[in-house]
Amino acid sequence: MSKLRQPRIAIIGGGTGLPVLLRGLKTYPVDITAIVTVADDGGSSGRLRDELNIPAPGDVRNVLAALSEVEPLVEQMFQHRFDNADHLSGHALGNLILAAMTSITGDFVHAIQEMSKVLNVKGQVLPSANQSVVLHAELDDGEIVTGESKIPYSGKRIKRVFLSPEHIEPPKETLEAIRNADMILMGPGSLYTSILPNLVVPSIAEEIANSKATKMYICNLMTQAGETLNYTASDHLKVLNEHLGSRCVDTILVNNEEIPPHLKLKYKEEYAQPVIFDIKRLEKLGVKVIKENIVSIHNNRVRHDTVAVASIIYSLINKSGLHVSSVNG
């Protein structure tokens, strides 16, 4: 007897962009795997990484919260950050719980799996590496900047990013999720410090290149000072291709909506501006370009509209026929 199988989506990223996307996508009948960077070295996450020699838990914590289906108070507790508490000050409770669970189970992936049960997470959350890693950037002039939090402050154009130690084994579950995916999504999020730290883990880029899945990049709405100053959409895509080692992305989702003038001025003060969507250059790179209104404004910040983006992704799944896949059971 055969039954319908939900389409499998592997979503790769970190930072604030990935949780925004996941909150919308989890409302659809899809099998989600979020593959999350562990290269964060700032704040609570970085302190725990350095003190306990574990993968940085912060981005994973935010993704677990986004995919959780628990009472709001439980999610609020998981995300609670201590203030004025000496050694606890600045730590997020969820980071401490993940660190404790890693100590108990002896394995970060296992710790995430156990926390996923507690938080009733829809889908699965996996790190791109199961060990403590450090992100480095090589700048255009050859200088090397070490540390994810320091990279945006170099004041120079970034040539590439890479990780240490040299030999990093991605979890087998992460590679399997990419291998079995019907669709692979990259972004949105900081290009060099949220998305690429996943793609430069050995074997991950190779699995993406070999995959027959639809591969989509959800392009950022705004440039980012210190990372993508004056970058167009095709510049973002070229950087992805260079780090992946091939033209892996076949579809790009770009914004077709005008950013309000007062927000443009606000971002200009931060040396940021709306990403220019240079459609002709994108098409020369061989990608299908999807232009939609995908902007949402939160607290005077430009964000992707989670409902709109999730709807676009699911409509692509429907058009491709992935939703009618079947398995024997």
Side-chain angles (χ1 to χ4, degrees):
M1 181 181 173
S2 66
K3 58 183 179 180
L4 291 180
R5 170 178 73 74
Q6 289 188 340
R8 302 186 187 110
I9 305 179
I11 310 169
I12 302 170
T16 57
L18 186 56
V20 167
L21 174 61
L22 292 170
R23 287 186 188 278
L25 208 51
K26 75 176 182 180
T27 62
Y28 288 89
V30 291
D31 184 346
I32 296 170
T33 298
I35 297 169
V36 190
T37 175
V38 290
D40 181 18
D41 66 352
S44 166
S45 199
R47 284 161 61 193
L48 291 170
R49 186 199 71 170
D50 294 341
E51 290 171 17
L52 303 176
N53 193 33
I54 62 171
D59 285 329
V60 167
R61 182 196 84 244
N62 286 327
V63 167
L64 285 169
L67 286 174
S68 68
E69 295 185 334
V70 289
E71 291 296 324
L73 191 61
V74 175
E75 183 186 335
Q76 192 178 344
M77 179 185 71
F78 186 67
Q79 291 285 58
H80 176 72
R81 198 175 291 275
F82 295 97
D83 291 320
N84 305 318
D86 293 330
H87 295 301
L88 278 180
S89 188
H91 276 304
L93 180 61
N95 288 352
L96 297 173
I97 294 172
L98 281 167
M101 196 70 81
T102 303
S103 179
I104 291 165
T105 63
D107 181 78
F108 189 58
V109 171
H110 193 184
I112 296 169
Q113 290 167 343
E114 292 304 315
M115 277 311 306
S116 296
K117 295 174 190 173
V118 172
L119 293 170
N120 192 25
V121 163
K122 180 179 178 184
Q124 65 174 337
V125 179
L126 293 166
S128 53
N130 200 15
Q131 65 192 86
S132 176
V133 299
V134 178
L135 185 68
H136 310 269
E138 180 186 352
L139 308 179
D140 262 358
D141 62 0
E143 181 189 348
I144 304 294
V145 177
T146 294
E148 180 264 354
S149 61
K150 296 183 181 70
I151 289 169
Y153 298 100
S154 68
K156 300 171 187 173
R157 197 172 176 93
I158 300 167
K159 185 177 179 182
R160 68 182 182 108
V161 292
F162 60 98
L163 295 170
S164 63
E166 192 175 337
H167 300 291
I168 301 169
E169 282 292 326
K172 67 180 188 304
E173 296 93 339
T174 300
L175 296 179
E176 284 170 7
I178 296 170
R179 195 175 302 139
N180 295 330
D182 300 303
M183 177 180 277
I184 298 169
L185 300 175
M186 289 164 266
S190 299
L191 182 61
Y192 288 99
T193 54
S194 291
I195 300 171
L196 289 175
N198 300 291
L199 305 182
V200 295
V201 174
S203 305
I204 286 184
E206 190 179 335
E207 283 292 345
I208 294 171
N210 291 337
S211 170
K212 298 292 189 286
T214 299
K215 299 160 200 169
M216 176 192 279
Y217 172 52
I218 301 168
C219 193
N220 290 343
L221 303 169
M222 308 296 292
T223 62
Q224 189 173 350
E227 288 202 36
T228 54
L229 188 65
N230 299 323
Y231 274 36
T232 64
S234 68
D235 290 330
H236 284 75
L237 195 58
K238 282 177 182 175
V239 170
L240 276 177
N241 286 338
E242 285 164 7
H243 283 77
L244 284 165
S246 61
R247 287 189 179 186
C248 283
V249 180
D250 51 53
T251 307
I252 184 169
L253 174 61
V254 299
N255 175 44
N256 198 35
E257 191 173 352
E258 189 68 27
I259 305 296
H262 73 283
L263 286 178
K264 283 186 186 178
L265 282 173
K266 180 180 172 62
Y267 274 91
K268 191 175 181 180
E269 292 171 3
E270 303 170 15
Y271 299 98
Q273 64 190 37
V275 173
I276 294 169
F277 302 112
D278 46 348
I279 306 299
K280 288 183 179 176
R281 284 178 69 194
L282 286 169
E283 288 172 345
K284 281 183 181 175
L285 290 172
V287 292
K288 177 184 177 184
V289 181
I290 300 174
K291 297 178 288 183
E292 294 286 351
N293 294 349
I294 52 174
V295 171
S296 178
I297 310 298
H298 288 283
N299 299 321
N300 260 350
R301 306 299 297 178
V302 176
R303 297 282 182 258
H304 283 82
D305 185 325
T306 182
V307 174
V309 174
S311 174
I312 292 160
I313 291 165
Y314 193 66
S315 70
L316 282 176
I317 288 169
N318 278 337
K319 285 175 187 173
S320 65
L322 295 178
H323 64 298
V324 296
S325 300
S326 63
V327 293
N328 293 322

